[in-house]
Amino acid sequence: MPEDAGPYREIRLEALQLSSEAFGSSFEQEGSQPLGYFQEALTKADVFGAFLEAELVGVAGFRRQAGMKQAHKGFLWGMYVRPVARGTGAGKSLVKAVLDHARKSVELVQLAVVSENEAAQRLYRSCGFVAYGHEVHSLKQGGRYYDELLMAVALTP
């Protein structure tokens, strides 16, 4: 919805500033984008929000893979919970919302998480994700490389 673009832009840019190593994009790349850029992003994927009272405190995106041979898979992306809401269950609620939504259209959900982010890995494991790979030097920022752990959860028995 168009009215969601402003709050989404705000939390997305915060995520790119405070947890820049965790995202493939950067604040420099998205910070100068107009509001329409974020409105368009919301139309291209399913984005879920976590709220404390009326404040948006977390987001997570889901998109189904393209192509007939990969349409059974989806990808959880852009996961971020504001520091004030960490430890409140907001992150787990977001992941569960994505998985509940994904069950309607895919059999498997994948994600990538920076290998140093142990708290996120624990969260994903608690929701059924298992590691299936390790991408060395997946991201590079400020002359430093970050590896990513590849994780997936099967949604069908």
Side-chain angles (χ1 to χ4, degrees):
M1 302 185 100
E3 65 270 14
D4 295 334
Y8 175 66
R9 179 183 192 275
E10 181 183 321
I11 198 167
R12 174 73 176 170
L13 294 180
E14 176 184 313
L16 294 173
Q17 283 185 305
L18 298 182
S19 301
S20 58
E21 74 286 349
F23 297 94
S25 188
S26 68
F27 180 82
E28 294 75 20
Q29 187 176 349
E30 294 187 25
S32 62
Q33 295 294 333
L35 190 59
Y37 171 87
F38 296 91
Q39 287 175 323
E40 186 176 335
L42 291 174
T43 66
K44 290 183 176 181
D46 301 313
V47 179
F48 297 82
F51 294 84
L52 283 179
E53 297 180 17
E55 182 186 355
L56 180 63
V57 295
V59 291
F62 171 79
R63 74 171 176 270
R64 190 172 172 188
Q65 299 288 0
M68 187 182 313
K69 292 183 178 183
Q70 293 187 345
H72 67 286
K73 298 186 292 186
F75 196 76
L76 187 154
W77 61 271
M79 176 81 179
Y80 177 73
V81 175
R82 288 186 159 140
V84 69
R86 292 178 188 162
T88 66
K92 192 163 198 162
S93 293
L94 277 169
V95 174
K96 286 185 172 192
V98 168
L99 295 178
D100 287 345
H101 174 74
R103 278 186 178 85
K104 300 172 191 170
S105 61
V106 298
E107 300 168 21
L108 183 81
V109 175
Q110 299 170 308
L111 61 82
V113 59
V114 172
S115 61
E116 297 172 16
N117 191 342
E118 294 180 16
Q121 290 177 44
R122 279 193 303 275
L123 168 65
Y124 297 136
R125 283 190 189 100
S126 76
C127 293
F129 284 84
V130 295
Y132 70 89
H134 184 111
E135 185 175 350
V136 177
H137 293 186
S138 180
L139 302 171
K140 183 178 180 182
Q141 176 183 333
R144 179 166 182 233
Y145 292 102
Y146 294 89
D147 293 357
E148 285 189 319
L149 187 64
L150 307 176
M151 301 181 83
V153 62
L155 302 178
T156 57

